């Protein structure tokens, strides 16, 4: 049997920033019932839609009454992994196309595109409202990435387990091979190519959080092995036998607490300063008031 994290990427961001409000939304704190982060974001989106519709906003008026949890869920799930405005628009457009009974007007495709872009902005804005600390950390990581790539070097860091990570993103070098029949454009990339600043910047926040959720997974695996538990996992889905589920629940919470009792962002910032003493990195984002020890009693943290 298995236990899954509750929007696990946002759980890690909330823990990094000690975000009490966001942490409660993803079940880092005790509650009588599981918190639904998708419903929480939807509530904010609907509030904004209603206000805009009341003020005569055309797109809000069309969308009013037709936006539900399913429409915003994928965007919430992928926001922590760097979904762009365009990506969010495409996700929401796919859901809106499934809707029936909506008055799209004479050109449905055009109006769906307009509504998708508008709703994507509202959804991403609502996620930021709910997880302010996460947005600050994402922005800080992205800024650090840009400063590092200005030095013509790739972004790299050490995970809490001591595993070095180097982002591989390099610019592609194009060249053409001409044959008797046609010309073929090929590309090559490798360490000899310049770094790709845009890819480094967009990939660093999600890659860094992935390095943290994988660290938690491996720390839990090690703890389970020491305790004699059978264990398997896929990302944030942790498995063991039904008879040892309670034991695994205790261990995965303890390892999460131990992981985030470390000053992870401070260690990362210090490592950047040591590698690039001439670069003026921005200060590490401040922390909220979440008590990470509450995870121990959070029944729906992994459930």
């Amino acid at each position: 049997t298995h236990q899954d994290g509750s929007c696990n990427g946002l759980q890690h961001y909330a823990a990094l920033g000690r975000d009490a409000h966001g942490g409660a939304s993803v079940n880092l704190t005790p509650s009588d019932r599981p918190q639904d982060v998708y419903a929480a974001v939807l509530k904010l989106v609907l509030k904004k839609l209603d206000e805009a519709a009341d003020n005569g906003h055309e797109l809000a008026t069309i969308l009013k009454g037709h936006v539900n949890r399913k429409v915003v869920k994928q965007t919430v799930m992928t926001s922590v992994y760097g979904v762009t405005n365009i990506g969010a628009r495409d996700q929401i457009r796919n859901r809106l196309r499934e809707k029936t009974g909506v008055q799209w007007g004479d050109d449905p495709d055009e109006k769906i595109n307009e509504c998708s872009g508008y709703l994507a902005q509202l959804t991403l804005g609502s996620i930021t409202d709910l997880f302010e600390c996460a947005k600050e950390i994402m922005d800080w990581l992205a800024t650090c990435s840009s400063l590092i790539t200005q030095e013509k070097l790739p972004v790299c860091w050490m995970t809490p387990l001591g595993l070095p990570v180097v982002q591989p993103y390099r610019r592609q070098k194009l060249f053409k091979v001409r044959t008797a029949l046609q010309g073929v454009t090929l590309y090559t990339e490798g360490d000899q190519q310049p770094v790709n600043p845009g890819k480094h910047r967009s990939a660093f926040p999600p890659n860094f959080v992935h390095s943290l959720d994988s660290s938690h997974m491996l720390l839990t695996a090690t703890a389970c092995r020491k305790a004699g538990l059978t264990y398997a996992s896929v990302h944030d889905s942790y498995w063991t036998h039904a008879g040892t589920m309670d034991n695994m629940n205790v261990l995965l919470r303890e390892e999460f607490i131990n992981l985030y009792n470390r000053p992870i962002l401070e260690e990362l910032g210090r490592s950047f300063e040591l590698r690039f003493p001439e670069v003026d990195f921005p200060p590490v984002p401040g922390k909220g008031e979440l008590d990470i020890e509450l995870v121990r009693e959070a029944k729906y943290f992994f459930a």
Side-chain angles (χ1 to χ4, degrees):
T1 57
H2 65 97
Q3 300 273 285
D4 293 350
S6 176
C7 207
N8 191 236
L10 286 172
Q11 288 181 319
H12 284 276
Y13 269 120
L16 272 174
R18 293 296 194 273
D19 184 352
H21 184 51
S25 300
V26 288
N27 296 296
L28 292 190
T29 57
S31 60
D32 295 333
R33 61 184 64 185
Q35 301 301 302
D36 185 347
V37 65
Y38 310 112
V41 172
L42 175 64
K43 183 178 180 180
L44 293 176
V45 170
L46 293 179
K47 181 181 178 182
K48 294 176 181 179
L49 268 181
D50 288 342
E51 291 173 353
D54 291 343
N55 290 324
H57 192 288
E58 179 193 4
L59 301 181
T61 302
I62 294 172
L63 289 168
K64 188 172 181 178
H66 299 288
V67 178
N68 56 19
R69 183 178 182 273
K70 183 178 180 181
V71 173
V72 303
K73 180 177 180 181
Q74 187 179 11
T75 301
V76 176
M77 289 177 64
T78 55
S79 64
V80 70
Y81 299 124
V83 69
T84 62
N85 282 319
I86 294 174
R89 181 200 63 194
D90 292 344
Q91 293 168 348
I92 290 173
R93 181 173 56 205
N94 290 336
R95 301 288 77 78
L96 292 181
R97 281 177 173 165
E98 299 169 353
K99 295 287 183 180
T100 59
V102 185
Q103 302 300 317
W104 297 119
D106 296 333
D107 189 349
D109 286 340
E110 178 63 25
K111 195 58 67 177
I112 288 174
N113 283 336
E114 292 179 20
C115 287
S116 300
Y118 173 63
L119 190 53
Q121 292 178 2
L122 291 186
T123 303
L124 292 174
S126 297
I127 295 169
T128 299
D129 293 343
L130 192 59
F131 293 92
E132 291 185 22
C133 290
K135 183 64 166 60
E136 290 178 6
I137 294 170
M138 289 181 193
D139 290 345
W140 179 76
L141 292 171
T143 299
C144 289
S145 172
S146 294
L147 292 171
I148 291 170
T149 54
Q150 285 177 13
E151 301 299 309
K152 313 301 182 185
L153 290 171
V155 178
C156 61
W157 69 96
M158 195 80 73
T159 75
L161 297 179
L163 177 70
V165 183
V166 181
Q167 293 195 146
Y169 312 114
R170 300 274 179 170
R171 294 192 184 276
Q172 297 176 349
K173 181 180 181 181
L174 301 179
F175 62 96
K176 286 188 176 181
V177 176
R178 297 193 179 277
T179 69
L181 296 178
Q182 62 183 356
V184 180
T185 300
L186 303 176
Y187 69 88
T188 182
E189 58 185 14
D191 291 346
Q192 74 280 4
Q193 294 298 112
V195 296
N196 188 321
K199 283 192 174 181
H200 274 276
R201 181 183 175 91
S202 63
F204 183 35
N207 284 344
F208 181 69
V209 170
H210 272 311
S211 77
L212 297 180
D213 63 44
S214 62
S215 294
H216 177 227
M217 180 184 71
L218 289 170
L219 288 168
T220 302
T222 302
C224 285
R225 181 172 184 176
K226 289 179 179 178
L229 275 63
T230 299
Y231 174 84
S233 61
V234 179
H235 190 204
D236 65 337
S237 181
Y238 294 6
W239 296 66
T240 190
H241 295 303
T244 53
M245 180 59 73
D246 289 344
N247 306 75
M248 186 186 74
N249 270 333
V250 171
L251 294 175
L252 69 87
R253 284 163 172 76
E254 290 298 330
E255 293 305 325
F256 190 86
I257 291 168
N258 291 338
L259 176 63
Y260 284 104
N261 272 329
R262 292 183 56 168
I264 292 175
L265 290 181
E266 289 78 5
E267 291 175 352
L268 179 66
R270 181 58 179 158
S271 73
F272 289 159
E273 291 169 356
L274 289 173
R275 281 188 66 212
F276 304 99
E278 70 285 358
V279 176
D280 185 18
F281 289 100
V284 174
K287 285 184 167 56
E289 299 180 353
L290 173 68
D291 181 359
I292 201 67
E293 300 292 332
L294 292 176
V295 170
R296 191 176 286 111
E297 308 301 326
K299 180 179 180 180
Y300 300 106
F301 166 57
F302 266 63

